[in-house]
Amino acid sequence: MNLFSRNTLSDEVILNGIISDGILQRTTENRLYEHFFYFIKDATCKHKILEDEAASLYTDTILAFIENVKSKRFEGKSSLKTYLYQIFSNKCVDFIRKNATNKMSVHETQPMQDWVLAMPDDAKNILQKLISDNEIIVLKEKIKLLGDKCQQMLMAWGEGFSDSKIAEELGYQTSNVAKVSRLRCLDKLKEFYKK
Amino acid sequence: MLEQIEKYLNQETSLSERQGFENQLLTNKELAKEFAFYMQAKVANQEIGKEKRKAEFEELRKEISNRSAGKIKPMIWISGIAASIILALGFWWFLTLNSPKTDTLADTYIQEHFENLPVKMDGNTDSLQIGLRLFNEQKLSEAQTIFEDILQRKNSDSEAIKYAGITALRLKKYDKAIGYFQSLSRQKNLYSNPGKFYQALTLIKQHSANKKEVKFLLKAVIDNNLEGNSEARKLIISYQ
């Protein structure tokens, strides 16, 4: 009976599902979302935040976790529940602080990716000057001008899918064909961006 | 140029090519702009992906909430039933805890009513009075013999039956006592008949007694307003 027990979903099943492909990955992510759904209610009681706010933070938590698993930043030193709850709690506390002090947004874009941070300082400084949140917002609008296939492909690329996986998902014959198509899409985006 | 950037980022270049690329970034503004575009395009697409997934999760949330809403009714039923059981158990526990034990009540009654039986003070020497005096002197066996002698002569003597039963009860001859009290309760022409109540009392003292029978007897006493009615009410509450 569901009243006293939650469906069992082991950490191993979740982790393997997230790093798998396609439907299994989506299904696992959805099951993960559902599995710890009660965090939302807990947060409304514990942190006195609205349910919609808690739900938004919970979704951010799940997305952050998925990203951490994919990028192997989740080392499995704690149980998945503990790890998720820690992220979620931090997000709730940040959110409350942000509301109290009106400081930076929790959802702020983090344009400086890990690999740029590893660059030499001079190069990094130049790039930092060229990158801004506003430009990202503009680019997001320009992406909408691209065809569906290009949008799908670039979104998959943005999410970290390799060309071979993109080829598989979107029906390209080889990863090279997918790569060429992707770079063409990026060129097209650049054209829209420069206009 | 985008391919060159990608090779650098994917670490598909040699160390010298890497250093060369990084130096170029400092001097070649076009390359730096292209690099910035590449990064921003990646982040923009990443965000779009996240937004799409967030929207999907939001849909899932609505679905889960609807499902939970559908479960509210059975949940309320289950909670209601559980609460009723807890209340009933609590009530039973309260009564049990706060009511003296049945055995104690029975003992108290026996002590108060069967320690001394009413004797006529006129020096009457009939057998019944002799038996009662012996009883009050705690000569229970002798008293029992007297009462049984009377019953030998007149087996429908309700007074003799009653006292023979009480004496048997005091002597802990419960089966015998029950027999007398049953016989007493069957007597129809008595103004007040304690037969059923005494029978219940004896059954309580005889711990192996059938609980249903005790309850039935006590209930009959209460319902028919027979002698022992008020005591029967106390006993039936404590008798679980």
Side-chain angles (χ1 to χ4, degrees), chain A residues 66-78:
Chain A
I66 292 167
E67 208 175 305
N68 288 355
V69 172
K70 283 181 179 168
S71 62
K72 292 175 182 155
R73 270 180 289 198
F74 174 68
E75 294 170 349
K77 284 179 182 169
S78 60

Side-chain angles (χ1 to χ4, degrees), chain A residues 3 26 29-30 34 52 60 67 109 113 115-116 119-120 122 131-132 135 140 154 182 190, chain B residues 6 9 22 25-26 34 39-40 43 45-47 50-51 53-54 56-57 61 67 75:
Chain A
L3 182 62
R26 289 280 145 140
E29 288 173 6
N30 287 355
E34 199 168 341
D52 283 347
D60 288 340
E67 208 175 305
T109 315
Q113 302 251 335
W115 23 264
V116 176
M119 289 175 98
D122 293 344
I131 291 166
S132 79
E135 294 307 303
K140 276 160 83 173
L154 291 182
R182 181 174 54 78
K190 196 165 64 184
Chain B
E6 213 160 70
L9 291 171
E22 283 162 3
L25 267 180
L26 299 174
E34 194 86 350
M39 269 183 58
Q40 290 174 134
V43 172
N45 278 294
Q46 194 177 27
E47 282 186 9
K50 275 188 183 175
E51 281 160 15
R53 198 71 183 108
K54 270 193 99 160
E56 286 169 0
F57 279 137
R61 181 191 159 209
R67 247 186 283 152
M75 284 284 282

